[in-house]
Amino acid sequence: MNSQPNILYVEDEPRSRTVMEMVATYLELPGMTIFEDSTDFLARAEAVEPRPDLVLLDIHLKPHNGFEMLSMLRQSPRFQGVPIVAMTASVMNEEVDQLRTAGFDGCLAKPIDMMTFGDTLDLIVRGENVWRIFS
Amino acid sequence: MDMNLADVKTIESQPSVPPGTQKGSSPDSESEIARLRTQVESLEKEVTRLKTQIEDDAIELQATVDEFVLAKSEVERAKADLERANQVKSAFLASMSHELRTPLNAIINFTRFVALGVQGPVNEKQASTLNEVIDSSRHLLTLINDVLDMSKIESGSLNLLFDDNVDLKPIVESVMSTAKGLTGEKSIELRAKIADDLPAIRADRQRVFQILLNIMSNACKFTEKGHVELRANRQGDEVVFVIEDTGVGIEPEDQAAVFEAFRQTASGLRQGGGTGLGMPISRSLAEAHGGRMWLESEPKKGSRFYVALPAQPPDQAKLPVTRMLKGGSHE
């Protein structure tokens, strides 16, 4: 991978967080911020330094789900132009339709693929919509 | 009723009693009156009988109407139950997908992390064992996806995510690179021949990838030596993919079963390692694109699987309707 983006990841499931920490270690990502829940989400997201190049959101979590977090970020001037991608294990057809309709810039289905994850991040940071549903 | 009897009398009397021949109390007219009286009496009896019959029929008809109304409400209740059951099933499948994929994310990536040697040196034997864990987990993921896809297809709720101008070449390349990992120790030559004039089509990228990978992995599974070749050409209004193998082939009597869900062929079951859902799913996905899928095969020589997808944007009206999106999300 070339881009080495700063990432904000919101995930309430401990093992999925560990997976992302491993990915960050393996890919030697410089900045990986992980939130364990979505309490005070917008205020905390806006305080992350440096500004994330990419936001990965789990969908089913509390108090705000992924859709709610997406709309908060979309209204924040700081996150204009930052790709916001769903990272979820819920990828049955209508769930993916919901993600598209809500305006996510892409979706990475769990399980993710550590070996191709860097290339996928490159694509997203370059502004491509990546819908990786079957991995 | 009186009116009717008078009518009958008039009609009956007209032909037998011409005008001007009537006499006050002749024996003829007396017998005529007696005859008519008998006739009237028998008609009155008939009317009474018919009236009773009509009343009986009316009661019977009412009973039938009552039954019909009851049956109608039962059908409506059954329909509502079915719709509810379908919603429960959809929610269950969605949650199954989520619950099964979440632990697989940990299994596959934790194993990969160790195998990559990031947490310390791993010898060749250990790395190979760990890679077996990864392969098995990926296989399990495919099976889960197949079962969930099939239940979507069976309930008629398979939706595609269409994009315009989908370039097929990168999809074929990606299928070929994934298929390389499927041949294992076998000496099979994998090759692709893509026509230069292949048009971009309106399609669901992931699903086209899934169709081709399903067929390629099937071909690799049933081929011990020789080649597996993927060709893509434009033929008239269609883009036709051909996947040709030099494998075991399929007996003529087994060929239809290949596309039937839950009916693996005898040799398919012997080879094992699958749900037998890959080909039925692929055909459904091709049809959902407005396309077709079929096969030609000769036992012991090999098989050719064909997928034809329309080169022009498919008519939206003919495709499965995307279901209304439900608000919110499930936990």
Side-chain angles (χ1 to χ4, degrees):
Chain A
M1 79 179 293
N2 315 307
S3 51
Q4 304 288 317
N6 291 301
I7 297 174
L8 170 61
Y9 178 42
V10 188
E11 173 62 74
D12 66 341
E13 205 263 319
R15 290 197 183 90
S16 296
R17 287 199 299 269
T18 309
V19 166
M20 192 54 82
E21 285 159 8
M22 288 173 170
V23 168
T25 306
Y26 174 60
L27 296 176
E28 297 172 358
L29 294 174
M32 169 72 74
T33 308
I34 301 181
F35 292 175
E36 297 182 10
D37 60 47
S38 52
T39 313
D40 290 332
F41 172 68
L42 189 59
R44 288 162 66 206
E46 289 186 328
V48 173
E49 288 295 345
R51 187 188 81 159
D53 301 306
L54 164 65
V55 181
L56 297 174
L57 297 178
D58 182 28
I59 297 302
H60 304 299
L61 77 170
K62 285 171 180 162
H64 303 293
N65 67 27
F67 295 98
E68 291 163 346
M69 288 188 282
L70 172 72
S71 69
M72 288 179 202
L73 292 175
R74 289 288 190 234
Q75 281 161 29
S76 159
R78 192 173 189 240
F79 282 92
Q80 292 312 300
V82 175
I84 301 165
V85 172
M87 218 174 100
T88 174
S90 293
V91 286
M92 294 295 274
N93 281 312
E94 61 269 30
E95 297 169 304
V96 176
D97 281 352
Q98 283 176 24
L99 297 175
R100 285 197 165 211
T101 309
F104 275 96
D105 295 309
C107 170
L108 304 179
K110 294 175 197 166
I112 60 165
D113 183 352
M114 200 182 284
M115 306 306 285
T116 59
F117 203 74
D119 293 339
T120 307
L121 293 181
D122 281 344
L123 289 176
I124 295 170
V125 172
R126 255 192 272 145
E128 284 194 35
N129 286 8
V130 176
W131 294 84
R132 197 135 296 164
I133 313 301
F134 306 96
S135 47
Chain B
M1 198 192 298
D2 288 344
M3 278 281 287
N4 287 342
L5 286 179
D7 289 344
V8 170
K9 205 188 300 181
T10 312
I11 294 157
E12 288 286 317
S13 57
Q14 263 170 0
S16 54
V17 188
T21 60
Q22 252 180 332
K23 283 170 189 168
S25 56
S26 70
D28 266 6
S29 70
E30 264 170 34
S31 77
E32 178 67 8
I33 285 164
R35 195 182 64 76
L36 285 172
R37 183 168 293 131
T38 319
Q39 209 169 15
V40 166
E41 277 166 6
S42 110
L43 280 170
E44 274 176 338
K45 266 189 206 150
E46 180 64 10
V47 165
T48 311
R49 193 187 65 76
L50 285 172
K51 202 180 151 206
T52 316
Q53 197 183 329
I54 286 167
E55 280 166 1
D56 287 353
D57 285 352
I59 290 167
E60 208 174 300
L61 187 64
Q62 186 57 49
T64 312
V65 168
D66 289 349
E67 258 173 57
F68 178 75
V69 170
L70 189 69
K72 193 174 163 238
S73 80
E74 271 169 18
V75 167
E76 275 163 5
R77 198 165 49 237
K79 197 178 155 229
D81 283 350
L82 190 67
E83 272 164 14
R84 223 171 6 252
N86 256 334
Q87 280 168 11
V88 170
K89 187 181 158 196
S90 275
F92 174 76
L93 290 174
S95 125
M96 278 299 280
S97 168
H98 182 259
E99 295 309 314
L100 295 168
R101 280 167 164 270
T102 302
L104 273 174
N105 189 35
I107 294 169
I108 292 172
N109 288 297
F110 285 18
T111 312
R112 179 81 80 197
F113 198 60
V114 176
L116 285 168
V118 188
Q119 292 179 318
V122 179
N123 69 34
E124 219 171 282
K125 259 192 176 172
Q126 290 165 335
S128 139
T129 308
L130 292 169
N131 284 324
E132 291 281 335
V133 176
I134 294 169
D135 288 348
S136 302
S137 308
R138 294 207 147 283
H139 183 58
L140 179 58
L141 179 63
T142 323
L143 299 186
I144 292 166
N145 287 342
D146 278 2
V147 170
L148 295 175
D149 268 349
M150 201 60 229
S151 54
K152 283 268 149 188
I153 290 166
E154 299 249 298
S155 66
S157 57
L158 177 85
N159 304 325
L160 300 191
L161 303 169
F162 278 106
D163 281 314
D164 287 315
N165 299 317
V166 172
D167 189 1
L168 296 166
K169 209 173 166 200
I171 297 177
V172 171
E173 282 164 359
S174 173
V175 167
M176 295 308 289
S177 87
T178 311
K180 267 183 204 141
L182 301 170
T183 53
E185 307 285 289
K186 298 192 271 195
S187 57
I188 309 170
E189 190 195 345
L190 290 187
R191 51 195 194 216
K193 289 179 182 167
I194 309 167
D196 291 331
D197 64 341
L198 213 57
I201 66 170
R202 182 175 161 75
D204 181 328
R205 283 191 178 81
Q206 294 271 342
R207 295 302 194 173
V208 173
F209 175 84
Q210 191 185 359
I211 295 170
L212 298 178
L213 185 63
N214 270 346
I215 305 174
M216 284 297 288
S217 83
N218 209 51
C220 292
K221 186 155 77 175
F222 293 107
T223 304
E224 286 306 315
K225 58 182 195 299
H227 68 260
V228 174
E229 183 174 275
L230 169 51
R231 296 191 290 271
N233 297 293
R234 181 178 191 146
Q235 287 180 17
D237 293 340
E238 291 177 320
V239 169
V240 179
F241 297 95
V242 187
I243 292 96
E244 180 184 88
D245 67 55
T246 52
V248 291
I250 305 158
E251 298 289 338
E253 63 268 26
D254 285 339
Q255 290 183 9
V258 169
F259 295 111
E260 278 175 47
F262 312 111
R263 265 199 64 189
Q264 261 188 333
T265 64
S267 68
L269 283 171
R270 269 200 306 279
Q271 297 269 44
T275 51
L277 296 175
M279 295 305 103
I281 288 170
S282 296
R283 177 183 260 187
S284 295
L285 291 175
E287 286 169 356
H289 276 86
R292 303 169 291 136
M293 177 171 167
W294 69 100
L295 72 85
E296 286 168 3
S297 184
E298 202 175 326
K300 297 186 180 69
K301 293 219 167 144
S303 305
R304 263 190 219 122
F305 280 82
Y306 296 83
V307 175
L309 301 179
Q312 301 302 319
D315 182 356
Q316 284 300 321
K318 286 182 193 158
L319 296 170
V321 180
T322 300
R323 285 203 305 189
M324 291 296 290
L325 297 179
K326 289 171 226 115
S329 60
H330 72 94
E331 278 301 322

PDB file of all heavy atoms in Angstrom, chain B residues 211-223:
ATOM      1  N   ILE B 211     -20.476 -15.447  -9.876  1.00  0.00           N
ATOM      2  CA  ILE B 211     -20.884 -16.432 -10.884  1.00  0.00           C
ATOM      3  C   ILE B 211     -19.640 -17.114 -11.469  1.00  0.00           C
ATOM      4  O   ILE B 211     -19.518 -18.336 -11.491  1.00  0.00           O
ATOM      5  CB  ILE B 211     -21.679 -15.774 -12.044  1.00  0.00           C
ATOM      6  CG1 ILE B 211     -23.007 -15.212 -11.559  1.00  0.00           C
ATOM      7  CG2 ILE B 211     -21.915 -16.780 -13.184  1.00  0.00           C
ATOM      8  CD1 ILE B 211     -23.720 -14.335 -12.605  1.00  0.00           C
ATOM      9  N   LEU B 212     -18.685 -16.277 -11.935  1.00  0.00           N
ATOM     10  CA  LEU B 212     -17.506 -16.824 -12.619  1.00  0.00           C
ATOM     11  C   LEU B 212     -16.618 -17.617 -11.666  1.00  0.00           C
ATOM     12  O   LEU B 212     -16.112 -18.686 -12.014  1.00  0.00           O
ATOM     13  CB  LEU B 212     -16.716 -15.690 -13.286  1.00  0.00           C
ATOM     14  CG  LEU B 212     -17.475 -14.928 -14.382  1.00  0.00           C
ATOM     15  CD1 LEU B 212     -16.618 -13.797 -14.927  1.00  0.00           C
ATOM     16  CD2 LEU B 212     -17.915 -15.865 -15.509  1.00  0.00           C
ATOM     17  N   LEU B 213     -16.463 -17.103 -10.437  1.00  0.00           N
ATOM     18  CA  LEU B 213     -15.624 -17.821  -9.482  1.00  0.00           C
ATOM     19  C   LEU B 213     -16.253 -19.159  -9.103  1.00  0.00           C
ATOM     20  O   LEU B 213     -15.555 -20.176  -8.972  1.00  0.00           O
ATOM     21  CB  LEU B 213     -15.362 -16.966  -8.232  1.00  0.00           C
ATOM     22  CG  LEU B 213     -14.390 -17.600  -7.233  1.00  0.00           C
ATOM     23  CD1 LEU B 213     -13.005 -17.783  -7.845  1.00  0.00           C
ATOM     24  CD2 LEU B 213     -14.285 -16.788  -5.951  1.00  0.00           C
ATOM     25  N   ASN B 214     -17.585 -19.180  -8.923  1.00  0.00           N
ATOM     26  CA  ASN B 214     -18.297 -20.433  -8.627  1.00  0.00           C
ATOM     27  C   ASN B 214     -17.997 -21.475  -9.692  1.00  0.00           C
ATOM     28  O   ASN B 214     -17.684 -22.629  -9.385  1.00  0.00           O
ATOM     29  CB  ASN B 214     -19.814 -20.193  -8.624  1.00  0.00           C
ATOM     30  CG  ASN B 214     -20.335 -19.808  -7.254  1.00  0.00           C
ATOM     31  OD1 ASN B 214     -19.642 -19.963  -6.262  1.00  0.00           O
ATOM     32  ND2 ASN B 214     -21.550 -19.297  -7.207  1.00  0.00           N
ATOM     33  N   ILE B 215     -18.100 -21.076 -10.973  1.00  0.00           N
ATOM     34  CA  ILE B 215     -17.903 -22.034 -12.062  1.00  0.00           C
ATOM     35  C   ILE B 215     -16.437 -22.451 -12.130  1.00  0.00           C
ATOM     36  O   ILE B 215     -16.116 -23.632 -12.295  1.00  0.00           O
ATOM     37  CB  ILE B 215     -18.370 -21.451 -13.414  1.00  0.00           C
ATOM     38  CG1 ILE B 215     -19.830 -20.997 -13.310  1.00  0.00           C
ATOM     39  CG2 ILE B 215     -18.226 -22.497 -14.522  1.00  0.00           C
ATOM     40  CD1 ILE B 215     -20.336 -20.287 -14.550  1.00  0.00           C
ATOM     41  N   MET B 216     -15.534 -21.483 -11.986  1.00  0.00           N
ATOM     42  CA  MET B 216     -14.096 -21.797 -12.013  1.00  0.00           C
ATOM     43  C   MET B 216     -13.741 -22.752 -10.883  1.00  0.00           C
ATOM     44  O   MET B 216     -12.982 -23.707 -11.091  1.00  0.00           O
ATOM     45  CB  MET B 216     -13.266 -20.510 -11.877  1.00  0.00           C
ATOM     46  CG  MET B 216     -13.190 -19.649 -13.116  1.00  0.00           C
ATOM     47  SD  MET B 216     -12.377 -20.456 -14.512  1.00  0.00           S
ATOM     48  CE  MET B 216     -10.675 -20.446 -13.964  1.00  0.00           C
ATOM     49  N   SER B 217     -14.264 -22.501  -9.694  1.00  0.00           N
ATOM     50  CA  SER B 217     -13.858 -23.342  -8.571  1.00  0.00           C
ATOM     51  C   SER B 217     -14.471 -24.733  -8.722  1.00  0.00           C
ATOM     52  O   SER B 217     -13.853 -25.738  -8.361  1.00  0.00           O
ATOM     53  CB  SER B 217     -14.198 -22.686  -7.231  1.00  0.00           C
ATOM     54  OG  SER B 217     -15.511 -22.901  -6.872  1.00  0.00           O
ATOM     55  N   ASN B 218     -15.672 -24.795  -9.295  1.00  0.00           N
ATOM     56  CA  ASN B 218     -16.280 -26.090  -9.618  1.00  0.00           C
ATOM     57  C   ASN B 218     -15.417 -26.862 -10.622  1.00  0.00           C
ATOM     58  O   ASN B 218     -15.146 -28.055 -10.456  1.00  0.00           O
ATOM     59  CB  ASN B 218     -17.677 -25.830 -10.208  1.00  0.00           C
ATOM     60  CG  ASN B 218     -18.627 -26.962  -9.948  1.00  0.00           C
ATOM     61  OD1 ASN B 218     -18.758 -27.400  -8.813  1.00  0.00           O
ATOM     62  ND2 ASN B 218     -19.286 -27.445 -11.001  1.00  0.00           N
ATOM     63  N   ALA B 219     -14.978 -26.138 -11.669  1.00  0.00           N
ATOM     64  CA  ALA B 219     -14.158 -26.763 -12.712  1.00  0.00           C
ATOM     65  C   ALA B 219     -12.841 -27.284 -12.121  1.00  0.00           C
ATOM     66  O   ALA B 219     -12.410 -28.393 -12.420  1.00  0.00           O
ATOM     67  CB  ALA B 219     -13.892 -25.768 -13.832  1.00  0.00           C
ATOM     68  N   CYS B 220     -12.218 -26.472 -11.253  1.00  0.00           N
ATOM     69  CA  CYS B 220     -10.946 -26.893 -10.636  1.00  0.00           C
ATOM     70  C   CYS B 220     -11.154 -28.105  -9.734  1.00  0.00           C
ATOM     71  O   CYS B 220     -10.308 -28.996  -9.669  1.00  0.00           O
ATOM     72  CB  CYS B 220     -10.332 -25.757  -9.819  1.00  0.00           C
ATOM     73  SG  CYS B 220      -9.774 -24.383 -10.846  1.00  0.00           S
ATOM     74  N   LYS B 221     -12.307 -28.137  -9.055  1.00  0.00           N
ATOM     75  CA  LYS B 221     -12.584 -29.231  -8.131  1.00  0.00           C
ATOM     76  C   LYS B 221     -12.712 -30.561  -8.878  1.00  0.00           C
ATOM     77  O   LYS B 221     -12.273 -31.600  -8.396  1.00  0.00           O
ATOM     78  CB  LYS B 221     -13.879 -28.916  -7.361  1.00  0.00           C
ATOM     79  CG  LYS B 221     -14.203 -29.895  -6.261  1.00  0.00           C
ATOM     80  CD  LYS B 221     -15.071 -29.279  -5.176  1.00  0.00           C
ATOM     81  CE  LYS B 221     -16.516 -29.158  -5.611  1.00  0.00           C
ATOM     82  NZ  LYS B 221     -17.385 -28.665  -4.526  1.00  0.00           N
ATOM     83  N   PHE B 222     -13.313 -30.535 -10.073  1.00  0.00           N
ATOM     84  CA  PHE B 222     -13.599 -31.772 -10.790  1.00  0.00           C
ATOM     85  C   PHE B 222     -12.600 -32.057 -11.925  1.00  0.00           C
ATOM     86  O   PHE B 222     -12.866 -32.872 -12.795  1.00  0.00           O
ATOM     87  CB  PHE B 222     -15.033 -31.748 -11.328  1.00  0.00           C
ATOM     88  CG  PHE B 222     -16.061 -31.774 -10.216  1.00  0.00           C
ATOM     89  CD1 PHE B 222     -16.784 -30.645  -9.890  1.00  0.00           C
ATOM     90  CD2 PHE B 222     -16.268 -32.935  -9.477  1.00  0.00           C
ATOM     91  CE1 PHE B 222     -17.719 -30.673  -8.850  1.00  0.00           C
ATOM     92  CE2 PHE B 222     -17.183 -32.970  -8.442  1.00  0.00           C
ATOM     93  CZ  PHE B 222     -17.913 -31.837  -8.132  1.00  0.00           C
ATOM     94  N   THR B 223     -11.474 -31.337 -11.924  1.00  0.00           N
ATOM     95  CA  THR B 223     -10.457 -31.565 -12.954  1.00  0.00           C
ATOM     96  C   THR B 223      -9.141 -31.958 -12.275  1.00  0.00           C
ATOM     97  O   THR B 223      -8.683 -31.248 -11.388  1.00  0.00           O
ATOM     98  CB  THR B 223     -10.255 -30.289 -13.800  1.00  0.00           C
ATOM     99  OG1 THR B 223     -11.511 -29.897 -14.342  1.00  0.00           O
ATOM    100  CG2 THR B 223      -9.277 -30.529 -14.938  1.00  0.00           C
TER     101      THR B 223
END
